[in-house]
Amino acid sequence: MTTRRLVLSRGAAIVGAASTGLLLPEIVRAQSNRIRVGFMLPYTGTFAQLGVNIENGVRMAINEKGGKLGGREIEWFKVDDESEPSKGVENANRLVQRDKVDVLIGTVHSGVQMGIQRVARESGVLNLIPNAGVHAATRALCAPNVFRTSFTNSQPTLALGKAMFDKGHKKAVWITWKYAAGDEAFEGFKQSYTAAGGTIVKELGLPFPNVEFQALLTEIASLRPDAVACFFAGGGAAKFIRDYAAAGLKDRIPLWGSGFLTEGVLDAAGPAADGIMTTMHYSDSLDTPRNRQFRQQFATTFKTQPDVYAVQGYDTGLLLAQGMAAVKGDIGNKAALYKSLETQTIDSPRGKWTMSKAHNPVQDIYLRRVENKENKVIGIAAKALADSGEGCKLG
Ligand code: PHB
């Protein structure tokens, strides 16, 4: 339901009650006892599907726990952040100041997260980050009320470089969207690839969310590296994969990436994606009862296959439900709530994970290969990998 409709229906209920002269106190009490949860996610643009899958994951986890948080009914709010950093603060304040949410779940895009981070730090509202990997959120700008259930941008790529080098790829080209997520993914790749002995012959980039890849693909063909590594995601990733194959590079220069490259896009990319190697904290084919049960339930409920974004949303829902249960719905008891969120073990489809002191998952990173529209696990590329949390004074 949109925020506007919620506001209107609440107003109508209060007017109706007031006209009877009797019901108002009960209604106000019942409403204020509800916990207000706001989604700030991209519902349009290249990351639109990511936002939808995250929301669905959150709802599925909370429904599995009885549809309440610490025994309290939920009132939902939604803002489309359009992956637009310049509107980040304004959109976060729509939820925090106008809608007075108790919890803000968001977002996907690292630049937009910087706006949320500011609002969360200033207002003290609980912020659960279900995707955006921007380092600062759990490093220098970490906060007691901000918890991430996804990754830092360099976490997957810290496991990428060595795996690539070990496959015999000694010279690589890096390509990405030039913004925090791509730049920080590069940091992890550079560190791991050069430490293993690899050489990065060229760094290529284009502005987010541009998808005019042709000139850069021509440059890659003339550079002739042993392999290409990249960060792209969402609709843009599907196009990059198709364009890479159409340019004749697929069978000549192996394509590797931070695993977002092949998340939620395998139908759209088709056979062009076969053989792509990635590192990521989740894989479709994880052969555990937990993952099988999650995938079946998600597919049945939402008529679409889950991906890493659905898992991150699901884990956000689990974290929130478990934390709220621990404080019996008393979200005002911040010390106890944060302690609980810090010490939960999340029994995730990706495997069990815990929070680092800086509030970021400590998790395994899998090496994966695309086969027949599935990310198949090849092995664990990094075990219990924690972000450095550099500059964060929590814990
Ligand atoms: C980000 O901007 O932090 C971001 C966006 C999409 C992804 C991963 C990271 O898939």
Side-chain angles (χ1 to χ4, degrees), residues 29-208:
R29 215 176 13 254
Q31 281 168 348
S32 64
N33 189 40
R34 290 201 189 172
I35 184 119
R36 300 161 83 89
V37 180
F39 288 112
M40 176 161 154
L41 291 168
Y43 294 106
T44 52
T46 202
F47 290 158
Q49 195 55 44
L50 286 58
V52 170
N53 281 2
I54 287 169
E55 180 181 332
N56 286 343
V58 171
R59 288 183 185 268
M60 179 171 143
I62 293 176
N63 282 340
E64 281 178 2
K65 301 260 181 190
K68 293 186 182 179
L69 289 171
R72 292 170 66 181
E73 301 276 355
I74 304 169
E75 187 162 3
W76 299 97
F77 299 83
K78 268 167 90 156
V79 164
D80 175 10
D81 70 32
E82 305 164 38
S83 294
E84 179 47 65
S86 68
K87 297 188 198 158
V89 168
E90 181 191 333
N91 280 329
N93 273 329
R94 286 210 168 113
L95 290 170
V96 172
Q97 289 187 7
R98 182 191 65 189
D99 300 335
K100 310 229 170 328
V101 296
D102 298 297
V103 188
L104 190 162
I105 297 177
T107 189
V108 167
H109 184 286
S110 277
V112 180
Q113 180 59 34
M114 291 303 280
I116 295 181
Q117 198 81 13
R118 200 169 115 193
V119 172
R121 285 164 61 95
E122 284 169 7
S123 65
V125 79
L126 177 62
N127 171 214
L128 304 180
I129 311 173
N131 187 73
V134 63
H135 285 166
T138 54
R139 291 193 188 176
L141 295 179
C142 72
N145 54 317
V146 176
F147 293 82
R148 180 151 48 199
T149 57
S150 50
F151 55 87
T152 58
N153 287 321
S154 59
Q155 242 178 334
T157 46
L158 271 173
L160 182 64
K162 184 170 179 337
M164 235 173 114
F165 187 81
D166 288 351
K167 268 276 178 196
H169 306 315
K170 299 195 166 51
K171 284 190 308 174
V173 166
W174 170 261
I175 178 167
T176 191
W177 278 316
K178 289 298 293 172
Y179 81 107
D183 294 343
E184 294 176 351
F186 178 65
E187 266 181 51
F189 174 66
K190 185 176 174 189
Q191 188 178 322
S192 60
Y193 191 59
T194 54
T199 305
I200 299 166
V201 292
K202 185 105 190 199
E203 245 189 280
L204 299 171
L206 71 173
F208 174 86

Side-chain angles (χ1 to χ4, degrees), residues 128 146-150 319 340-346 353-362:
L128 304 180
V146 176
F147 293 82
R148 180 151 48 199
T149 57
S150 50
L319 179 71
S340 163
L341 297 176
E342 278 165 354
T343 51
Q344 296 290 341
T345 295
I346 300 300
W353 62 267
T354 54
M355 280 286 174
S356 72
K357 287 200 167 77
H359 298 175
N360 189 70
V362 178

